[in-house]
């Protein structure tokens, strides 16, 4: 166990913070912190590089914490710069040394950290979860944890939970792996390198669809809310932060980010995801050249086209629905005719026609809609029709929601099933809930595709 080493690190950090408080009390930042930030025109965010915080997405920087901080920076009228620091104690040291303005770790702060920082309002509830693998240790209660070592990272809140757990169950033990991330530990449990890990629920939610065999064994303690942290000396920045979080527009932004990053992960079970992973290995290679060629021709991401095709037909070229849509891209007769497709059961021609149709919808959505919202709306139109998509955008505008945002349009799609609303629109009734679920599932299939392709390539290389 590495509790002693962790305590030494915290002791050094407390000493460092005391020195900084004394040496920095007459600095311009202390005297006028918010004005100094505004004058330099930049908000510096200290965060982690993972799926819940910050990463480079296909359309540029992404991640829940990044997007939320970008909204705050826009509110202040400054640009956003991201500093990646993985360890909590190093984050705090960097903040206190003036190398950042806000810490957004993507996990709760423990009480030791909280004493060194000024915490903002809570905005997302998370829990500490013990995670294992199907076929691995079966944990029915907390007492059973005494038979295994729990592997975790050095999150202060998590360590405090474990220490509290050990007071009731003295045999509980854990190992802190500072060289690995929570996502690394989930993968190590999945590939049976470790028996159990403890992670935050938001991290598991972001990664569960990659590793469907993972299983939540226990939830420890009580839910906590994520917060940002600022330097205790930066009182004006703290006040601006509280003011911003209290705005109705900010609450809507947070709601939209939760829907964007988490809502599409909830409609799958283990069987769905395990079947999909098998088909990536068995079925996809037969059709991948066609997806790649068609996507290249029409300037789309082939993995997105493949994910759409899986949602439509599970990559079955003979698929046919009771409504008469057919083929691997499940095109209607009219859509196929408009794309000059004679035989919907011809795999290559069908993939090219479906990709062309998606590209057309993407173009019709228009450049006024930023990415990735434009692509998500095009996917919805593939399912529900472009006319109904336009109805949803009109309805969003009427209800004071952003019509050029997928969050705004997504929130009103279910209303297309209510007579009160659809009777006022050109294209009338539509199964809006189905369109929302359709896009959510494609997003999950798309996110799963790259890591699974990499895993297959790695296994092949190892075998060779």
């Amino acid at each position: 166990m590495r509790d002693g080493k962790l305590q030494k690190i915290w002791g050094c950090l407390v000493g460092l913070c005391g020195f900084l408080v004394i040496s920095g009390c007459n600095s311009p930042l202390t005297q006028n912190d918010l004005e100094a930030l505004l004058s330099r025109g930049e908000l510096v965010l200290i965060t982690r590089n993972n799926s819940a915080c910050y990463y480079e997405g296909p359309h540029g920087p992404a991640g829940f914490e990044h997007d939320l901080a970008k909204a705050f920076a826009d509110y202040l009228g400054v640009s956003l710069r991201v500093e990646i620091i993985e360890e909590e104690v190093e984050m705090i040291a960097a903040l206190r040394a003036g190398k950042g303005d806000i810490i957004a770790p993507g996990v709760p702060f423990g009480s030791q950290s909280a004493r060194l920082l000024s915490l903002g309002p809570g905005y997302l509830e998370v829990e500490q979860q013990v995670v294992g693998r199907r076929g691995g240790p079966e944990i029915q209660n907390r007492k059973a944890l005494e038979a295994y070592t729990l592997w975790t990272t050095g999150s202060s809140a998590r360590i405090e939970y474990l220490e509290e757990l050990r007071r009731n169950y003295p045999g509980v033990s854990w190992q802190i792996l500072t060289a690995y991330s929570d996502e690394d530990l989930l993968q190590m449990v999945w590939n049976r390198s470790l028996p159990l890990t403890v992670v935050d629920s938001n991290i598991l939610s972001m990664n569960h669809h990659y590793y469907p065999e993972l299983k939540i064994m226990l939830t420890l303690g009580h839910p906590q809310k994520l917060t940002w942290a600022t330097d205790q000396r930066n009182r004006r920045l703290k006040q601006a932060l509280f003011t911003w979080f209290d705005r109705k527009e900010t609450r809507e932004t947070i709601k939209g980010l939760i829907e964007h990053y988490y809502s599409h992960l909830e409609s799958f079970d283990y069987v769905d995801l395990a079947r999909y992973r098998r088909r990536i290995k068995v079925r996809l290679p037969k059709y991948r050249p066609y997806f790649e060629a068609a996507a290249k021709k029409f300037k789309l991401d082939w993995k997105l086209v493949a994910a759409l095709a899986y949602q439509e037909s599970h990559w079955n070229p003979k698929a046919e629905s009771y409504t008469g849509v057919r083929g691997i891209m499940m095109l209607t007769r009219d859509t196929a005719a408009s794309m000059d497709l004679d035989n919907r059961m011809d795999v290559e021609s069908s993939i090219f026609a479906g990709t062309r149709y998606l590209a057309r919808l993407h173009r019709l959505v228009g450049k006024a809609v930023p990415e990735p919202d434009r692509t998500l709306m095009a996917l919805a139109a593939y399912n529900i029709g472009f006319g109904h998509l336009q109805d949803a955008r009109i309805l969003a505008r009427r209800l004071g929601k952003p019509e050029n945002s997928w969050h705004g349009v997504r929130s009103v799609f279910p209303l297309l099933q209510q007579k009160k609303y659809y009777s006022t629109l050109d294209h009338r009734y539509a199964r809006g809930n189905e369109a929302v679920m359709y896009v959510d599932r494609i997003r999950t299939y798309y996110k799963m595709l790259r890591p699974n392709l990499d895993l297959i390539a790695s296994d092949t290389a190892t075998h060779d």
Side-chain angles (χ1 to χ4, degrees):
M1 222 175 299
R2 301 176 62 179
D3 296 6
K5 182 177 180 181
L6 192 65
Q7 292 298 331
K8 289 180 182 178
I9 293 173
W10 276 108
C12 293
L13 182 59
V14 170
L16 172 64
C17 291
F19 169 75
L20 289 169
V21 168
I22 296 170
S23 63
C25 62
N26 294 318
S27 68
L29 182 62
T30 305
Q31 295 172 355
N32 212 348
D33 59 277
L34 183 59
E35 287 82 353
L37 188 158
L38 297 176
S39 66
R40 74 173 187 262
E42 182 181 68
L43 176 74
V44 181
L45 172 71
I46 298 173
T47 191
R48 293 186 168 100
N49 189 192
N50 62 32
S51 57
C53 294
Y54 168 82
Y55 60 92
E56 287 294 330
H59 306 292
F64 187 99
E65 299 297 347
H66 167 272
D67 291 359
L68 190 59
K70 180 65 168 63
F72 180 54
D74 291 344
Y75 166 77
L76 295 178
V78 298
S79 63
L80 177 69
R81 177 163 61 88
V82 176
E83 285 290 327
I84 298 299
I85 302 176
E86 298 294 341
E87 292 301 316
E88 186 174 313
V89 291
E90 295 175 9
M91 287 180 163
I92 297 172
L95 181 77
R96 300 290 298 180
K99 297 178 180 178
D101 301 302
I102 292 171
I103 300 176
V107 297
F109 290 101
S111 59
Q112 292 187 85
S113 296
R115 287 196 293 269
L116 303 173
L117 300 166
S118 181
L119 302 186
Y123 54 87
L124 180 65
E125 192 171 88
V126 300
E127 298 174 306
Q128 305 288 337
Q129 296 177 327
V130 178
V131 179
R133 192 191 196 281
R134 292 173 183 269
E138 285 295 333
I139 306 299
Q140 303 297 332
N141 52 53
R142 286 169 168 75
K143 178 69 175 176
L145 292 174
E146 293 183 315
Y148 301 94
T149 297
L150 300 174
W151 299 83
T152 186
T153 58
S155 162
S156 60
R158 193 175 307 148
I159 300 305
E160 289 176 6
Y161 271 122
L162 291 172
E163 289 172 344
E164 180 180 347
L165 179 66
R166 188 164 58 186
R167 281 193 282 272
N168 295 317
Y169 303 96
V172 169
S173 64
W174 60 88
Q175 284 284 344
I176 299 172
L177 296 177
T178 56
Y180 295 90
S181 69
D182 288 326
E183 293 178 333
D184 292 331
L185 299 188
L186 288 173
Q187 184 179 25
M188 292 164 77
V189 171
W190 175 78
N191 65 25
R192 296 188 171 92
S193 298
L194 300 176
L196 299 169
T197 187
V198 185
V199 299
D200 293 271
S201 56
N202 59 323
I203 302 293
L204 179 62
S205 294
M206 284 287 191
N207 291 274
H208 206 172
H209 55 285
Y210 298 142
Y211 312 113
E213 293 84 1
L214 294 181
K215 183 178 178 181
I216 300 170
M217 299 296 178
L218 290 174
T219 296
L220 302 178
H222 53 83
Q224 286 183 298
K225 287 193 174 182
L226 301 185
T227 62
W228 286 351
T230 58
D231 192 312
Q232 291 175 337
R233 297 164 292 175
N234 293 348
R235 297 178 181 177
R236 292 180 179 85
L237 176 59
K238 176 183 177 180
Q239 183 179 3
L241 202 61
F242 271 81
T243 299
W244 181 71
F245 268 103
D246 195 47
R247 298 168 73 240
K248 178 182 178 183
E249 295 87 342
T250 303
R251 291 194 293 272
E252 285 295 315
T253 296
I254 293 171
K255 181 180 177 182
L257 290 176
I258 291 172
E259 288 181 353
H260 179 75
Y261 283 102
Y262 292 102
S263 63
H264 66 288
L265 306 176
E266 298 172 355
S267 60
F268 291 84
D269 60 22
Y270 164 73
V271 176
D272 288 328
L273 298 175
R275 183 187 296 119
Y276 177 54
R277 290 179 59 230
R278 287 196 302 271
R279 287 171 174 169
I280 290 174
K281 188 173 183 178
V282 177
R283 290 189 180 181
L284 179 59
K286 293 183 286 187
Y287 310 119
R288 178 172 174 172
Y290 302 138
F291 289 131
E292 290 179 334
K296 182 177 180 181
K297 180 175 181 179
F298 297 108
K299 296 181 174 58
L300 294 174
D301 184 341
W302 80 265
K303 296 184 292 297
L304 178 70
V305 178
L308 181 150
Y310 187 81
Q311 169 61 24
E312 289 287 350
S313 68
H314 287 187
W315 298 325
N316 175 11
K318 297 180 180 180
E320 183 173 1
S321 81
Y322 69 93
T323 59
V325 295
R326 304 179 69 187
I328 194 167
M329 302 298 284
M330 294 296 273
L331 298 171
T332 66
R333 190 183 301 276
D334 289 344
T335 299
S338 70
M339 296 294 110
D340 301 320
L341 175 64
D342 296 324
N343 181 9
R344 288 177 287 168
M345 308 305 279
D346 180 274
V347 175
E348 182 177 6
S349 299
S350 181
I351 288 174
F352 269 78
T355 307
R356 179 185 173 192
Y357 181 53
L358 179 62
R360 176 187 173 190
L361 293 170
H362 187 266
R363 185 172 62 254
L364 288 173
V365 171
K367 295 181 180 179
V369 179
E371 292 290 4
D373 303 63
R374 185 178 178 184
T375 295
L376 297 176
M377 288 189 195
L379 291 173
Y382 194 104
N383 171 257
I384 204 170
F386 187 74
H388 288 304
L389 171 66
Q390 291 299 86
D391 281 353
R393 295 178 70 185
I394 290 169
L395 184 56
R397 184 168 64 247
R398 289 179 186 172
L399 298 177
K401 299 179 181 292
E403 63 180 295
N404 289 339
S405 157
W406 173 244
H407 160 56
V409 174
R410 184 186 193 278
S411 67
V412 303
F413 255 128
L415 301 181
L416 299 184
Q417 298 174 209
Q418 298 182 25
K419 188 174 182 179
K420 173 183 176 181
Y421 297 102
Y422 72 68
S423 62
T424 68
L425 299 166
D426 289 343
H427 299 87
R428 311 289 283 186
Y429 175 87
R431 292 188 294 182
N433 276 320
E434 182 179 299
V436 169
M437 183 174 293
Y438 177 88
V439 174
D440 286 349
R441 294 179 77 89
I442 291 174
R443 292 175 65 196
T444 299
Y445 290 140
Y446 175 77
K447 285 188 175 183
M448 286 184 67
L449 200 48
R450 171 50 60 195
N452 278 279
L453 290 172
D454 291 343
L455 187 62
I456 291 169
S458 175
D459 289 345
T460 302
T462 302
H463 178 73
D464 290 344

